[in-house]
Amino acid sequence: MIVILQLDVLKNALNIYSRSLFSNNEIYIGFALRLENHNYLNIFTYNNLKKFYFKQSEDIVFKIPEKIFDSFFEKKESNFRISYSNEFSFLINDQLNEFYLKLYGLPSKEKNYGFLYIISKEKFSFDEEKKNIFRKFISVFENNVDTIYFDKYSKYSINAFVKNYLTILRNHSRIIYEHSLRVSDLSSIIASLLNLDEESIFKLQIASLIHDIGYIWVSQKAISEYIKNPEFDNNLIGIHLNRLEEMFLGNVLMTPYVNIAINHHERLDGKGYFGKSNLSIEDNILIISNYIDEQIVLTENEDITFVIKDIEKKAGKIFNKDVVNVAAEAIKIYYTEFHTESFSDLILKSKTLNLFYEAPGGEVIEFSGIIEKKFGDIIHINSKTFDEISKDSILKLKITTKDFPEYAKARVILKTPYGYVLKIIETKISKKSKLKVFWGFDFYIGFKNDITPLLKEKLTPVMKNILKSKFKRAKCKIFGAEGIIFTINSENDVFKVGDVVIFHITEFGESLYIPATLIEKKTGLHCNEYTSKFFELPERMQAAIYRLIFRRQASIRSIGGFHEE
């Protein structure tokens, strides 16, 4: 895409010119575009000393104090000493407590277009030779910045613009507002399944959000009657479409999205509201998404099988065949209710997922999401989104179940304004995790809530006695990497299935406190048998468990060998 190429031009120019201008000094160079008043959007910040860009500072909106703003634009080049600034300190990752800030406008642009900034520990200035180099550097920005400005500013403006209108729509009709959000989600899923690029998906999301915005000018009573009976007033279709067109008339930024939104009542056979037949793939996706949500939610027809058969029957006449083929799958992804009791036959403790993404450069992004829907191996989550994580990215998931955390890998099949749609591609299964050995030894078991606070204290003789009093003696039968099977005398048994416990095991020189959940119980005459499942453990403790298993296996082999001799 041209936008990325233009941004790369600026960054490459900075990499080249910074050597001549700043040598290896601890200096930070950045570029920001004006949004409104004194608000700016930071495009990038470059660490000249370490030669890399601060990812966390990109696309951050910040505000310049009015005093700096005014004096900067009066002089075209300004130098300020700053003790601390929330705005600029954040852009350089709080690397300096005190620094000099130097601002440069773009000479050939209007004063409110944007500026370069240079942050340094010591005050500096360019000699005549470096000034000439710097002028060439500035010219690279001036020649390439328009594309960046349009891309960054327009998307920021579009999102803010649409958000304001959606707020008005929500206050006017909650039903139409929520319908618009669902249509945006469904359109995005269908577009993703059709392998449309991110730019097309973004266009569809915006078009879907505004497609019914014209209902702001329709009374709530008329909307309610229309939803109950679509034949009530066919004029409402024309009214809300005309209002949509009038609202954005002359708005160049919104034109590409309005051109899609305006066609959501068209048909493939040219018999729609405006009689158009030359429809784009985006048009066809929005048309079917709007129809599907109307049929499933607005008309309260919860039988998705009926709706799937309905759109398949109309494929090639009203709806595009290719779109219908993937829409059936999208319906199953989006409208199948999440089953709150289980995940892969495990009892869920929480609908919250912990997610991890390892970027190509080695950076790990960790965040959480809420499971909204689940169908087979497809999970729809609400979460914060990241530029680094897009379609086809691979994530690691931690799903908290009642018994123990389940780990999996998933591929992003769709990025939405509200989170991600993920397809599980692998669950955590390893040969090591299945290791186990028959092994009878004594150990101690206690309730985790009783033991954990004591382990945080200094283990004086008195504390050791208190700790010992919280444990019960048990005997291991099978020791494995994922948990153990053990027995405990009936008179000492104060436990039940579902309890969270800690085992204290001292074997082969190891002294381990291992958290686990009791997942099964067999009652005996004199003793009871429990099956337990370890928590997901730190690598250090997991390695210690593997060592115990390997040493036990080695000791069995050596004893067997001695016996044979």
Side-chain angles (χ1 to χ4, degrees):
M1 293 170 60
I2 190 168
V3 173
I4 295 173
L5 292 174
Q6 296 288 352
L7 186 54
D8 282 346
V9 168
L10 298 190
K11 287 188 172 183
N12 288 336
L14 182 50
N15 291 339
I16 295 168
Y17 282 97
S18 63
R19 298 186 184 93
S20 303
L21 292 169
F22 311 112
S23 301
N24 288 318
N25 295 322
E26 187 173 8
I27 286 175
Y28 304 89
I29 309 101
F31 181 62
L33 291 170
R34 183 178 182 272
L35 292 175
E36 61 210 15
N37 298 327
H38 308 326
N39 292 307
Y40 284 82
L41 184 72
N42 197 58
I43 306 304
F44 59 74
T45 307
Y46 179 69
N47 183 335
N48 180 68
L49 182 63
K50 296 184 178 178
K51 310 298 181 189
F52 72 87
Y53 292 89
F54 288 116
K55 273 287 183 185
Q56 98 288 343
S57 74
E58 294 185 9
D59 289 346
I60 294 295
V61 178
F62 67 102
K63 190 164 188 171
I64 293 183
E66 190 170 352
K67 184 178 179 181
I68 293 180
F69 180 90
D70 289 342
S71 58
F72 158 48
F73 285 120
E74 284 173 11
K75 300 176 184 177
K76 283 289 183 184
E77 175 186 329
S78 306
N79 218 324
F80 307 95
R81 182 175 177 81
I82 297 179
S83 296
Y84 182 76
S85 161
N86 286 330
E87 295 85 1
F88 287 98
S89 295
F90 178 81
L91 298 182
I92 63 172
N93 203 21
D94 297 323
Q95 297 293 306
L96 301 172
N97 291 325
E98 290 190 348
F99 51 85
Y100 284 91
L101 170 67
K102 203 160 188 173
L103 307 175
Y104 296 89
L106 301 178
S108 68
K109 300 294 180 184
E110 295 178 6
K111 68 176 185 179
N112 60 356
Y113 201 94
F115 63 84
L116 281 103
Y117 58 87
I118 297 175
I119 296 172
S120 60
K121 199 169 186 179
E122 305 293 337
K123 191 172 182 178
F124 80 98
S125 60
F126 294 130
D127 58 26
E128 198 57 41
E129 182 183 352
K130 287 188 175 180
K131 278 184 179 179
N132 290 329
I133 296 173
F134 190 68
R135 288 189 190 102
K136 293 178 182 177
F137 176 48
I138 288 280
S139 69
V140 175
F141 273 75
E142 292 177 332
N143 292 333
N144 291 276
V145 74
D146 287 333
T147 306
I148 305 298
Y149 186 87
F150 183 80
D151 178 62
K152 298 287 184 180
Y153 181 77
S154 65
K155 283 193 176 178
Y156 176 85
S157 301
I158 288 164
N159 285 321
F161 200 58
V162 170
K163 186 177 180 181
N164 289 337
Y165 272 111
L166 284 175
T167 301
I168 297 171
L169 181 61
R170 182 183 61 197
N171 294 335
H172 183 67
S173 174
R174 188 84 190 186
I175 293 174
I176 298 297
Y177 166 75
E178 292 178 353
H179 164 70
S180 300
L181 298 185
R182 289 192 301 271
V183 171
S184 179
D185 286 345
L186 184 60
S187 296
S188 302
I189 294 172
I190 294 172
S192 180
L193 293 174
L194 286 168
N195 293 317
L196 268 63
D197 58 39
E198 287 195 24
E199 197 65 32
S200 297
I201 293 174
F202 176 77
K203 282 168 63 178
L204 260 171
Q205 288 169 348
I206 298 299
S208 301
L209 290 173
I210 65 170
H211 81 283
D212 274 345
I213 208 81
Y215 279 114
I216 292 172
W217 279 267
V218 177
S219 71
Q220 294 178 359
K221 182 179 179 181
I223 291 173
S224 298
E225 290 292 339
Y226 178 71
I227 290 170
K228 291 176 185 176
N229 179 18
E231 305 300 322
F232 165 71
D233 188 354
N234 283 327
N235 290 330
L236 288 186
I237 293 178
I239 291 171
H240 88 280
L241 291 177
N242 290 329
R243 290 289 183 269
L244 167 67
E245 196 169 29
E246 290 167 7
M247 285 171 65
F248 297 104
L249 189 64
N251 189 324
V252 177
L253 289 180
M254 292 299 295
T255 297
Y257 315 104
V258 175
N259 288 343
I260 298 172
I262 202 75
N263 292 330
H264 70 275
H265 282 289
E266 296 306 299
R267 293 168 44 135
L268 191 68
D269 58 12
K271 296 180 181 179
Y273 183 81
F274 291 114
K276 297 179 182 178
S277 57
N278 186 21
L279 302 171
S280 68
I281 188 69
E282 291 90 351
D283 292 331
N284 283 295
I285 291 172
L286 180 53
I287 289 166
I288 201 167
S289 298
N290 178 64
Y291 178 80
I292 288 169
D293 192 74
E294 284 180 349
Q295 295 300 308
I296 293 177
V297 181
L298 297 189
T299 62
E300 299 181 349
N301 181 5
E302 297 180 357
D303 186 357
I304 65 172
T305 305
F306 172 81
V307 176
I308 290 172
K309 288 180 179 177
D310 181 43
I311 62 172
E312 287 176 343
K313 190 187 300 181
K314 295 172 180 174
K317 300 173 185 175
I318 296 176
F319 306 121
N320 178 283
K321 285 184 179 180
D322 294 333
V323 175
V324 167
N325 289 338
V326 297
E329 184 179 350
I331 289 173
K332 295 173 185 177
I333 292 172
Y334 193 70
Y335 291 99
T336 302
E337 286 301 315
F338 171 72
H339 185 235
T340 56
E341 281 73 44
S342 66
F343 178 84
S344 299
D345 300 322
L346 299 174
I347 304 301
L348 276 174
K349 187 176 181 180
S350 170
K351 289 171 67 175
T352 301
L353 287 176
N354 293 325
L355 303 107
F356 309 85
Y357 172 71
E358 186 173 341
E363 178 190 3
V364 176
I365 297 173
E366 183 176 346
F367 62 107
S368 61
I370 303 296
I371 301 174
E372 290 297 325
K373 299 179 186 297
K374 171 187 171 290
F375 181 79
D377 56 2
I378 303 293
I379 301 177
H380 188 100
I381 65 166
N382 274 4
S383 71
K384 179 181 178 181
T385 59
F386 300 85
D387 289 340
E388 295 87 346
I389 305 174
S390 56
K391 185 173 176 287
D392 292 330
S393 295
I394 303 298
L395 304 180
K396 292 181 181 178
L397 316 181
K398 179 181 178 183
I399 304 147
T400 306
T401 70
K402 183 179 178 183
D403 298 332
F404 55 92
E406 180 80 357
Y407 280 72
K409 279 186 180 179
R411 175 179 286 109
V412 176
I413 63 173
L414 173 67
K415 181 178 180 180
T416 75
Y418 318 106
Y420 297 96
V421 179
L422 309 175
K423 181 180 178 64
I424 301 296
I425 57 175
E426 178 186 328
T427 54
K428 186 179 180 183
I429 299 174
S430 69
K431 291 180 180 179
K432 274 188 177 181
S433 68
K434 301 301 180 185
L435 288 174
K436 59 185 176 181
V437 61
F438 291 97
W439 191 4
F441 65 88
D442 291 341
F443 68 97
Y444 294 93
I445 177 176
F447 291 106
K448 185 175 182 291
N449 287 344
D450 294 340
I451 305 300
T452 302
L454 298 176
L455 292 176
K456 294 178 181 179
E457 302 288 336
K458 185 177 180 181
L459 289 182
T460 62
V462 174
M463 289 302 298
K464 285 182 180 179
N465 287 332
I466 295 174
L467 182 62
K468 188 176 180 181
S469 70
K470 300 293 183 181
F471 280 112
K472 302 290 184 182
R473 185 185 291 272
K475 191 173 186 69
C476 179
K477 286 182 65 178
I478 297 176
F479 186 86
E482 294 184 331
I484 65 175
I485 298 174
F486 66 92
T487 59
I488 185 169
N489 289 336
S490 299
E491 59 188 31
N492 285 334
D493 189 2
V494 294
F495 306 101
K496 65 182 185 301
V497 172
D499 283 345
V500 179
V501 298
I502 282 186
F503 302 138
H504 183 205
I505 297 172
T506 53
E507 293 292 332
F508 289 109
E510 305 279 1
S511 179
L512 304 177
Y513 291 93
I514 308 174
T517 302
L518 304 180
I519 61 174
E520 188 179 339
K521 178 179 181 177
K522 294 179 181 178
T523 304
L525 184 62
H526 300 294
C527 62
N528 301 324
E529 181 181 292
Y530 284 94
T531 300
S532 66
K533 193 77 177 179
F534 295 149
F535 282 22
E536 184 66 23
L537 303 173
E539 289 186 10
R540 177 185 56 79
M541 187 177 289
Q542 193 68 63
I545 290 172
Y546 293 145
R547 285 198 300 272
L548 287 180
I549 294 172
F550 295 145
R551 287 171 185 170
R552 174 60 180 168
Q553 289 175 334
S555 69
I556 293 171
R557 287 194 295 272
S558 63
I559 291 171
F562 178 78
H563 178 73
E564 287 173 2
E565 288 182 358

